[in-house]
Amino acid sequence: MPKDLKQMYKTIMDDHFTPQMEVSFVDKDKRQTLFYEKVSWVIDGVNKGLRYGENPGQEAALYRLVNGNLALGDARTIAPGKYLVSDIELLQSGKHPGKTNLTDADNALNILRYFTDTPCAVIVKHNNPCGAARAQSLEQAYHKAYMADRVAAFGGCIALNKAVDKATAQAIANQYAEVVVAPEFEDGVLDILGARKNLRVIRINDIDKLQSFIGERVIDFKSLMDGGLVAQWSFVPQTLSEKDFMVAATEYKGQTYKINREPTKQELQDMLFGWLVESGITSNSVIYVKDNVTIGIGTGEQDRVGVAEIAVDKAYRKLADRYCFEQYEISFADLTDDDKRAQIENDVKKVKGGLIGSAMVSDAFFPFRDGIDVGLRQGVKAVVQPGGSLNDYQSIEACNENNATMVYTGQRSFKH
C-alpha cells in the first residue's frame, strides 16, 4: 500500500514537554532564574499546545515567561508578564498553530514594532519577510506588501499594525495565507476571513504596545547537535531615526573620502524603513526598497555580491509576475503567449525591475565595491550599510561616480 504522505501533515503531536520550565544562571553564590509556563489553547473543547515543531514528527512547546529576571552587566531581560506573541488569542483556527506559524508571527512583529504610526503590513514566509510596506491605508499597505512578492506570499503569515477593515479582509480572503495577525478586527471582518476555513486568525491583544518592545532584550538560545547551548542577547538596532544615520566618509592612506550628495527626504525614509526591515532578515542579506515598499529581498547567502545579485534577480522576476497578474490575472510562470511574455519582460527591463531610484540595504559592510556596483548598475541611488570596511573608500567612490548617496549605521545586524 502506498503511504499517505498527506497524513503526516494532518497528524497532531501530543507533546511531552513539562508544564513549567526554569532556566538558571549561576555565578558563585548568585543565582538568577527565569520561570516559564507552557501555553495552550482550547480548540473544539480540547486543550492543545503547538501542533508540531518545524516538521511533522518533531514535538514542540511554547512557553511564556512568568517570573524572574536576568541581569548581565548593564543589560536586562524583558520583564516577566509583558506578553505579546506568547499570549495570542485564536479567533478562528481550523488548525491550531505550529511552531513555524508562531516564529513567523514573532518575526513579523519583530519588524512591525518599528512602524506603529503609519499603516504597515509585513508578510513572512519561513521566518523571512517576502514583502513589507507602509501606506496611507491598511488596504494599500497590504496590497503593496503582497504584490512585492505575490508568489512567496502564498501560505505566508500576514501581520498588520492596525485594526483590519472589510476592504483589507477581502483582499486577504482572495489569497491563500496560513496566519493573519492584527490588534483588532472590525465588525463583519471575521465573516469575510471565515471563507478560508483553515486560516488562523490571531489577535495580539497588546499589539498597541509594540513600540514599548523597542530596545527590550531577550535571551536567544541556540541548541548545538551535542545538546550544548549558545546563549546571546537579542539584537537591538541603534539606528531608529533618520538623524541616526552618518553620511559616509572614511580615510585611506592619508586621503579623506566622503559622499558628495546628501540624501533626499524620500531616500532617508526608504533607507530607514529598509534598515529596520533588514533587522528581521536572515544573513547574509541585501534588500532593495523604494517608496516604503520592499522590491527585492536577498537572504541567507554566503557572499555579499551573490546576495545583491539574487535580490536584483528577484526584483525582476517578481515585477514580471506582478505585471502579468495585473494585466492577465495569471502568474507569469503560467503565461504561454510568447508575444505577451516578451512584452512584459521588455517592460520590466525598461524600469530595471523597479530598482531605478531605490535604496540598497546591507546588514554588514561591503568588503569591496563590487557588491554596491551590483545595485548601482540597476539605478540604485541610495545605500545604507554599517560601514567599517578597510575598503569603504571604494564604496564611496562607486556611489560618487553614480551620483548616489550612502550612509552608515555604525552597527551590523546579522541574524542567523
Side-chain angles (χ1 to χ4, degrees), residues 163-411:
V164 180
D165 54 59
K166 289 184 177 180
T168 306
Q170 190 59 63
I172 292 171
N174 289 338
Q175 325 303 335
Y176 171 67
E178 287 266 343
V179 182
V180 176
V181 178
E184 193 51 84
F185 300 85
E186 294 181 359
D187 290 342
V189 162
L190 290 181
D191 293 333
I192 296 171
L193 296 178
R196 295 285 186 178
K197 67 174 185 176
N198 284 328
L199 176 65
R200 299 163 178 89
V201 180
I202 295 175
R203 177 164 56 203
I204 301 289
N205 294 307
D206 285 336
I207 204 171
D208 59 321
K209 299 176 183 175
L210 257 180
Q211 201 165 26
S212 70
F213 283 78
I214 295 175
E216 296 279 9
R217 293 187 184 272
V218 297
I219 295 292
D220 287 334
F221 291 102
K222 167 63 179 176
S223 297
L224 305 180
M225 64 171 291
D226 62 356
L229 286 175
V230 175
Q232 69 167 2
W233 286 120
S234 57
F235 177 73
V236 173
Q238 297 169 354
T239 300
L240 297 173
S241 68
E242 295 167 8
K243 70 179 186 329
D244 295 328
F245 287 132
M246 299 171 282
V247 176
T250 192
E251 286 192 7
Y252 181 74
K253 292 186 176 180
Q255 183 176 344
T256 299
Y257 297 80
K258 60 182 181 180
I259 286 295
N260 293 335
R261 184 174 68 79
E262 295 274 334
T264 66
K265 182 173 178 55
Q266 184 60 55
E267 287 169 343
L268 286 169
Q269 279 189 12
D270 284 344
M271 288 190 289
L272 183 62
F273 178 71
W275 177 249
L276 294 173
V277 170
E278 178 74 272
S279 68
I281 297 176
T282 305
S283 302
N284 261 342
S285 59
V286 165
I287 69 173
Y288 301 100
V289 172
K290 186 176 181 182
D291 297 331
N292 292 295
V293 182
T294 56
I295 298 172
I297 299 177
T299 67
E301 283 301 306
Q302 294 85 352
D303 70 285
R304 200 147 300 277
V305 177
V307 77
E309 292 171 337
I310 286 172
V312 167
D313 176 66
K314 288 176 72 174
Y316 275 71
R317 289 189 291 108
K318 305 309 179 180
L319 186 59
D321 181 77
R322 174 186 160 188
Y323 283 171
C324 186
F325 186 75
E326 289 174 343
Q327 294 176 48
Y328 307 113
E329 296 187 340
I330 60 172
S331 69
F332 186 68
D334 293 333
L335 184 63
T336 57
D337 187 302
D338 290 340
D339 291 338
K340 290 179 180 178
R341 287 182 67 89
Q343 183 60 56
I344 289 175
E345 288 174 338
N346 188 54
D347 290 343
V348 169
K349 188 176 180 180
K350 284 179 181 177
V351 297
K352 294 190 173 182
L355 293 165
I356 298 173
S358 66
M360 184 181 193
V361 186
S362 175
D363 57 13
F365 65 57
F366 291 92
F368 305 98
R369 65 173 286 170
D370 52 1
I372 283 184
D373 280 333
V374 171
L376 294 175
R377 285 194 293 269
Q378 302 300 323
V380 162
K381 288 300 179 185
V383 178
V384 53
Q385 57 138 324
S389 168
L390 292 174
N391 294 317
D392 276 345
Y393 76 96
Q394 292 184 9
S395 297
I396 291 173
E397 286 184 324
C399 288
N400 286 340
E401 289 168 12
N402 290 271
N403 192 34
T405 190
M406 182 167 65
V407 297
Y408 296 151
T409 64
Q411 180 190 31

Side-chain angles (χ1 to χ4, degrees), residues 112 118-123 131-134 138 141-143 145 158-161 273:
L112 205 59
T118 306
C120 185
V122 178
I123 304 175
R134 292 187 292 186
L138 195 65
Y142 168 70
H143 178 74
I158 302 165
L160 307 161
N161 68 342
F273 178 71

